[in-house]
Amino acid sequence: MKPQSRYASLSGYLDLSRSVGIDPARLMRANGLDPASLSLQDRWLPSAAVIQLLEQSASESGQQDFGLRLGELRRFSNLGPLSLVIREEPDVRSAVQLLIRYEHVYNEALRLYLSEANGSAVVRVRLEPGEPMETKQSVELVVSVLHRLLCGFLGPDWQPLAVCFAHRRPDDPSTHQRIFGPAVTFGHDFTGIALDAADLSAPNRMSDPQLLAYALQFLDGIEPAKDTTVLERVRELIELLLPTGRCSMEQVARSLGVDRRTVHRQLAEHGESFTTVLNDTRAELAVRLLESRRYSQTEIAELLSFSAPSNFSRWFRARFGCAPSRWQAP
């Protein structure tokens, strides 16, 4: 199955897109993403969709530094609960190693590698979206965020030995030079950040020793990476795709990186079919949306991908034995 990323990977996307004159909601929907889910940072979505979205955004806006500029809008908290733990690591080496060890907690497509030799260290960056595609904008976003993290650990005046990109030099590298300084170079055989190995032994400036014990307790509660079942992924994708109007078995299979027969077979192993999972997910969402009282029944029908409110009402009555208005009544 294709790797997933958290919606937090698009933090700042709406504001940046509008500032460069493109319609973020239209581009997100074109890639099967739900703009409303940007407020749900811990919801998962296909990494390939994020990567494609950033490439299209750079192309339509004419801003080839789009990924870098998005990285500048990131906050440490965008790492989610893991940020609480990394912040309290006593030195830079342990913070970076923790970031690498738990990369699956925030982005399944990201691969970070730390190596040390001859007094220098390199943190290499690679993206594995599960299919061949251009990743320049997302790679530059990751390197920008990594650089910001290292500056947080080491102080704002810290400078890397080199910031290396495997892709070619852009026509205008001024944003790269502003963010990374004169050490940025292009056309390397890897992408990553080189630093003095002594920097890894430096104390983490964000750390509070008195909070370390609490952070370690939290870390013990983070589950190691596990294989997510097809059933779980299908449920997540249905919930993600319903508001876009593009929720079909074919679209779900494409997002998983398999064919529809594979999805059908693996759902059958769990005693499910695509239709049963779709209806169960719709039912859960319908109840949640009705009980929130934030949406009209017309809006709920659209969010659940019904062609008309009357179709939603008939489906709801068949499912729950009453009209949506009665369910919502105090």
Side-chain angles (χ1 to χ4, degrees):
M1 293 185 294
K2 291 182 181 179
Q4 306 276 300
S5 304
R6 294 169 62 243
Y7 257 100
S9 61
L10 290 174
S11 178
Y13 175 75
L14 291 180
D15 290 339
L16 177 59
S17 297
R18 290 166 181 154
S19 73
V20 297
I22 57 176
D23 181 352
R26 176 182 62 81
L27 285 171
M28 288 187 70
R29 292 191 183 100
N31 285 279
L33 305 178
D34 176 20
S37 293
L38 286 171
S39 61
L40 305 173
Q41 291 200 9
D42 290 324
R43 177 175 286 183
W44 291 81
L45 70 165
S47 298
V50 176
I51 292 171
Q52 178 125 347
L53 174 67
L54 297 187
E55 294 298 325
Q56 290 182 0
S57 299
S59 177
E60 286 205 13
S61 66
Q63 305 293 323
Q64 291 309 302
D65 57 359
F66 192 90
L68 288 179
R69 295 173 64 177
L70 187 59
E72 290 189 285
L73 300 177
R74 288 299 170 80
R75 300 169 63 94
F76 189 62
S77 59
N78 291 139
L79 286 173
L82 187 63
S83 63
L84 300 173
V85 184
I86 293 176
R87 186 184 63 190
E88 303 310 330
E89 285 297 294
D91 57 60
V92 178
R93 179 179 285 100
S94 59
V96 171
Q97 289 173 337
L98 203 64
L99 190 69
I100 294 171
R101 180 181 177 187
Y102 287 94
E103 60 192 12
H104 66 278
V105 172
Y106 51 91
N107 190 336
E108 294 178 346
L110 178 62
R111 300 290 180 269
L112 299 175
Y113 306 90
L114 175 64
S115 59
E116 299 181 57
N118 302 320
S120 64
V122 177
V123 182
R124 287 176 169 81
V125 172
R126 192 168 78 234
L127 286 175
E128 298 178 356
E131 61 183 276
M133 62 194 316
E134 178 62 64
T135 62
K136 176 185 173 184
Q137 298 301 322
S138 294
V139 163
E140 292 196 345
L141 167 62
V142 171
V143 173
S144 175
V145 171
L146 178 60
H147 181 265
R148 285 172 63 85
L149 287 174
L150 289 170
C151 286
F153 298 149
L154 292 160
D157 297 327
W158 171 79
Q159 291 288 329
L161 295 177
V163 176
C164 307
F165 291 100
H167 54 258
R168 68 178 180 84
R169 182 182 186 272
D171 294 333
D172 180 7
S174 57
T175 303
H176 297 77
Q177 293 165 350
R178 175 176 59 80
I179 293 175
F180 304 120
V184 62
T185 55
F186 301 89
H188 279 268
D189 58 355
F190 72 90
T191 294
I193 297 178
L195 62 158
D196 194 312
D199 289 338
L200 294 175
S201 301
N204 176 8
R205 293 195 173 197
M206 290 192 286
S207 178
D208 181 345
Q210 294 188 11
L211 292 177
L212 181 59
Y214 296 102
L216 290 174
Q217 277 184 333
F218 176 81
L219 181 61
D220 288 339
I222 297 180
E223 294 184 2
K226 64 181 180 69
D227 292 331
T228 305
T229 66
V230 169
L231 177 58
E232 292 169 330
R233 281 283 168 81
V234 169
R235 284 174 175 160
E236 291 171 356
L237 286 167
I238 288 174
E239 185 170 345
L240 176 70
L241 292 169
L242 273 173
T244 72
R246 299 175 61 191
C247 185
S248 66
M249 189 166 184
E250 290 79 6
Q251 181 63 47
V252 167
R254 281 197 295 271
S255 297
L256 293 172
V258 299
D259 58 39
R260 56 178 295 160
R261 286 178 298 179
T262 301
V263 176
H264 176 78
R265 184 180 68 253
Q266 296 196 20
L267 288 179
E269 291 174 1
H270 292 275
E272 300 278 5
S273 68
F274 182 78
T275 300
T276 61
V277 179
L278 173 62
N279 279 326
D280 288 347
T281 305
R282 264 180 165 164
E284 292 174 10
L285 288 172
V287 169
R288 191 188 312 165
L289 292 169
L290 285 168
E291 291 181 346
S292 73
R293 299 182 180 277
R294 293 176 53 194
Y295 304 94
S296 68
Q297 289 186 33
T298 298
E299 290 172 325
I300 293 174
E302 291 177 355
L303 289 170
L304 297 181
S305 202
F306 285 98
S307 58
S310 58
N311 292 337
F312 166 59
S313 295
R314 281 195 295 271
W315 171 86
F316 191 91
R317 187 182 295 275
R319 179 86 186 193
F320 295 99
C322 66
S325 56
R326 184 175 177 185
W327 185 281
Q328 203 173 32

